[in-house]
Amino acid sequence: SAAAARQQHRAAALPDVESGAAGTKPYCVDTTRAVRRKTSTVWVRDVGIGSEHPIRLQTMTTTPTHDVKATVDQILRIEEAGADMVRLTVQGKREADACGAIRESLLSLGSSIPLVADIHFSPKAASAVADHVDKIRVNPGNFVDGAKSFDEVVSTPEQYAVGRERIVEVLSPLVLKCKELGRAMRIGTNHGSLSARVMSYWGDSPRGMVESALEFAEVCRMHDYHNFLFSMKASNPVVMVQAYRLLVAEMNARGWDYPLHLGVTEAGEGEDGRMKSAIGIGALLNDGLGDTIRVSLTEDPERELLPCSTLARVGREAQDTSSEGYYDAIPGFAESPEARLLETFTRRRGTPPDESHPLAPAVHRDGTVVSAVRAEDLASPDALYAALGARSVLGMPFKDVATADAVYLRGAAPAADDKEARRTLRRLHDAGVAVLADADTLDDAAAATT
């Protein structure tokens, strides 16, 4: 059957994926701590992307690229906000030519920030803009196929292989030009724009995203061009994380070490956009994956740089503390065989303690949220209840689905005569929010009362 043929194709493409190749883990260096994956360096003008360099920050302009002055002004604001490079939409020749004028204007103003052209549908525009920018992003879902037609069914490996010839034909001129000019390339798969051929064969899946990118990478390697990196973007952080992990497992099996650009596409605005990006990008950074990141928000692009730099810092700190023995005190544990399967993505289930256990209120079957609070937080109970996600009625907190499951007292426990702080803790406890504290601080508080 067609399904069986696809399964055999997948097995042949990724030997021993679950255990990794040459003794490596499927997708991360260490399953118990954040260790940055070693990669090659991709040079975008004089900015290096890879494990030997800091995690690079970037964003994308929102002005019409053909409006040179507006775009230059926005790029300068983006650079001032801390971006290492900036991407521009290039729909056709008009925008490609505008990139040349944008580059000249920036140089005249003392800015040499690398420019990245975002290409969809137009190989001709990609070739033209390569003369003016430092890096080109191509989308495997529409660079070759263009407008989608789902009339043709691709159900066998032989039918699927036919499309590769067209990819080699269309992509090779751009690869050769980038190699000649020293330009970088990002092979940027998007979950929402897979080609009709990939959709028909692999389905709307992380596997389809990965296979789509690998085909383009093989063309680059065919021409001995290696100044490229990958991205696997999706608006759903779960799909995005699975796709990146699967891609790295594929690269490990092949002995590849290309860098990764991380991002959750169309994340949104405000808290929602920042949380979606933190979930997807943060999870991968703690896997040790990711060399450049963009937080995609429906806001002015310069506003993306603060959450972007925050995530980069958190990832760096997690990796730095790993090397400093930060996790050494954590007891060893054995993972279940299903813990790192790459073809499935399901929530891990655990068995909470019996209701009589003192920690039972603090543990939630679907994941426990613990918030750290300090003594000074207890002096403003209404603000604290709101920060914990609790509803407050007449000064009394009520727990709902958005409320933290427990609070951890950071620092000394409130003294016996601090009635306001102790009342706040008691009301949280009565509302079903567990209160946790270090035993030493409780002993100290008890000793102070005697």
Side-chain angles (χ1 to χ4, degrees), residues 375 378-379 412-426 444-450:
L378 302 176
D417 59 353
D418 190 346
K419 296 182 179 180
E420 180 69 23
R422 293 201 166 216
R423 183 186 303 113
T424 300
L425 291 175
R426 184 174 67 253
D444 293 342
T449 64
T450 60

Side-chain angles (χ1 to χ4, degrees), residues 59-83 86-88 98-99 101-111 113 115 300-303 305:
T59 183
M60 187 171 182
T61 58
T62 56
T63 55
T65 304
H66 62 264
D67 187 338
V68 174
K69 184 181 186 309
T71 302
V72 167
D73 289 345
Q74 189 172 72
I75 290 173
L76 292 174
R77 294 194 297 272
I78 288 169
E79 184 176 23
E80 185 177 359
V86 60
R87 182 158 44 112
L88 306 89
C99 285
I102 290 167
R103 166 61 71 208
E104 291 177 4
S105 180
L106 287 169
L107 289 174
S108 71
L109 294 169
S111 172
I113 186 170
L115 300 181
D300 291 338
E302 53 267 36
R303 290 177 60 84
L305 274 303

Side-chain angles (χ1 to χ4, degrees), residues 339-352:
R340 306 216 173 244
L341 297 179
L342 297 170
E343 298 294 343
T344 59
F345 202 99
T346 57
R347 172 177 285 177
R348 179 175 61 85
R349 291 287 182 178
T351 303

Side-chain angles (χ1 to χ4, degrees), residues 72-396:
V72 167
D73 289 345
Q74 189 172 72
I75 290 173
L76 292 174
R77 294 194 297 272
I78 288 169
E79 184 176 23
E80 185 177 359
D84 295 301
M85 62 194 70
V86 60
R87 182 158 44 112
L88 306 89
T89 298
V90 178
Q91 299 97 327
K93 188 176 185 305
R94 178 175 65 163
E95 288 75 20
D97 292 342
C99 285
I102 290 167
R103 166 61 71 208
E104 291 177 4
S105 180
L106 287 169
L107 289 174
S108 71
L109 294 169
S111 172
S112 59
I113 186 170
L115 300 181
V116 183
D118 195 56
I119 301 291
H120 296 267
F121 302 107
S122 181
K124 290 183 178 179
S127 181
V129 81
D131 293 322
H132 308 300
V133 300
D134 307 291
K135 179 182 169 190
I136 295 176
R137 180 265 173 134
V138 296
N139 182 347
N142 56 38
F143 187 80
V144 174
D145 289 7
K148 292 178 173 57
S149 171
F150 296 97
D151 296 335
E152 183 180 358
V153 175
V154 180
S155 59
T156 68
E158 292 75 21
Q159 291 172 334
Y160 186 74
V162 171
R164 293 201 182 102
E165 298 174 3
R166 177 66 175 160
I167 293 173
V168 173
E169 176 187 349
V170 176
L171 182 61
S172 288
L174 178 62
V175 170
L176 292 171
K177 187 165 186 177
C178 287
K179 181 179 179 181
E180 177 188 357
L181 298 178
R183 307 302 193 225
M185 182 185 296
R186 170 159 66 96
I187 301 173
T189 304
N190 193 311
H191 182 234
S193 59
L194 296 176
S195 70
R197 169 176 160 269
V198 168
M199 286 279 287
S200 177
Y201 191 74
W202 293 109
D204 182 17
S205 65
R207 166 60 67 178
M209 296 171 65
V210 171
E211 294 293 336
S212 182
L214 293 176
E215 290 184 324
F216 274 51
E218 292 288 5
V219 177
C220 295
R221 291 173 59 85
M222 177 193 306
H223 296 292
D224 196 27
Y225 171 72
H226 301 280
N227 199 38
F228 69 89
L229 67 161
F230 291 102
S231 66
M232 297 276 119
K233 295 194 178 184
S235 58
N236 183 333
V238 173
V239 174
M240 170 259 198
V241 168
Q242 186 178 3
Y244 275 103
R245 288 174 174 173
L246 183 56
L247 172 67
V248 174
E250 289 277 8
M251 286 202 283
N252 286 345
R254 288 165 168 76
W256 296 3
D257 62 353
Y258 300 107
L260 297 174
H261 166 125
L262 304 185
V264 177
T265 191
E266 300 172 354
E269 63 181 351
E271 285 187 351
D272 287 349
R274 287 160 174 79
M275 285 190 291
K276 285 177 67 176
S277 293
I279 291 167
I281 296 172
L284 292 167
L285 289 173
N286 277 280
D287 286 338
L289 307 179
D291 306 287
T292 177
I293 60 178
R294 182 205 171 186
V295 173
S296 179
L297 302 174
T298 52
E299 302 176 16
D300 291 338
E302 53 267 36
R303 290 177 60 84
E304 296 181 355
L305 274 303
L306 177 57
C308 197
S309 61
T310 301
L311 283 172
R313 175 180 56 78
V314 170
R316 182 179 64 251
E317 290 176 351
Q319 294 161 13
D320 289 347
T321 52
S322 292
S323 62
E324 295 168 2
Y326 185 79
Y327 299 104
D328 289 351
I330 299 176
F333 60 93
E335 291 184 326
S336 68
E338 294 79 21
R340 306 216 173 244
L341 297 179
L342 297 170
E343 298 294 343
T344 59
F345 202 99
T346 57
R347 172 177 285 177
R348 179 175 61 85
R349 291 287 182 178
T351 303
D354 184 83
E355 292 183 0
S356 62
H357 193 282
L359 285 179
V363 180
H364 194 282
R365 150 184 328 274
D366 292 324
T368 302
V369 177
V370 180
S371 297
V373 300
R374 300 181 182 275
E376 52 265 32
D377 299 326
L378 302 176
S380 304
D382 289 339
L384 177 60
Y385 301 154
L388 295 175
R391 293 182 295 111
S392 183
V393 179
L394 298 177
M396 300 294 292

Side-chain angles (χ1 to χ4, degrees), residues 398-448:
F398 290 86
K399 186 178 180 182
D400 63 18
V401 68
T403 309
D405 299 295
V407 295
Y408 166 68
L409 290 178
R410 181 175 287 172
D417 59 353
D418 190 346
K419 296 182 179 180
E420 180 69 23
R422 293 201 166 216
R423 183 186 303 113
T424 300
L425 291 175
R426 184 174 67 253
R427 287 178 174 175
L428 285 171
H429 182 272
D430 291 344
V433 178
V435 178
L436 309 176
D438 291 335
D440 291 344
T441 66
L442 295 178
D443 291 342
D444 293 342

